[in-house]
């Protein structure tokens, strides 16, 4: 903003390199995602820190629609999953 106001046309500095988002080191969701991944079940997710369960190293979430959607999606999965497959 300051650059625009001051009509500064010099090249912008490069952004500081970032890192992918991740759960806090001691986050209790970590053990939950590890358990869900090991169960090999379908997991309906929700918006929040725990959305990061969809990413490596967990890859333990199969749907992520919007805040509060996990219950509805999870219940819906129960009607369409093949016999023997479980949702969480
Ligand atoms: S829920 Fe969010 S803020 Fe809390 S420990 Fe986990 S990642 Fe960190």
């Amino acid at each position: 903003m300051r650059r625009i106001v001051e009509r500064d046309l010099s090249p912008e500095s490069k952004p500081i390199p970032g890192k992918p988002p991740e759960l806090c080191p001691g986050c209790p969701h970590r053990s939950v995602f590890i358990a869900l991944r090991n169960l090999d079940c379908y997991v309906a997710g929700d918006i929040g820190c725990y959305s990061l369960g969809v990413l490596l190293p967990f890859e333990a979430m199969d749907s992520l629609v919007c805040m509060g959607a996990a219950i509805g999606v999870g219940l819906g999965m129960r009607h369409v999953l093949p016999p023997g497959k479980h949702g969480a």
Side-chain angles (χ1 to χ4, degrees):
M1 189 69 180
R2 180 182 304 147
R3 289 172 48 84
I4 294 170
V5 170
E6 294 176 354
R7 298 180 194 274
D8 181 356
L9 301 177
S10 64
E12 290 189 39
S13 57
K14 291 191 173 180
I16 299 169
K19 64 179 182 67
E22 60 182 349
L23 295 171
C24 297
C27 179
H29 288 105
R30 288 179 174 270
S31 54
V32 172
F33 284 127
I34 290 168
L36 288 171
R37 187 186 58 204
N38 290 342
L39 286 172
D40 192 28
C41 60
Y42 290 94
V43 177
D46 236 331
I47 302 291
C49 297
Y50 38 86
S51 301
L52 298 171
V54 77
L55 302 175
L56 287 169
F58 308 107
E59 294 186 310
M61 195 181 293
D62 299 290
S63 79
L64 179 59
V65 181
C66 63
M67 189 167 282
I71 297 291
V73 171
L75 290 172
M77 282 185 189
R78 301 182 85 186
H79 294 283
V80 297
L81 289 176
K85 284 290 183 181
H86 305 285

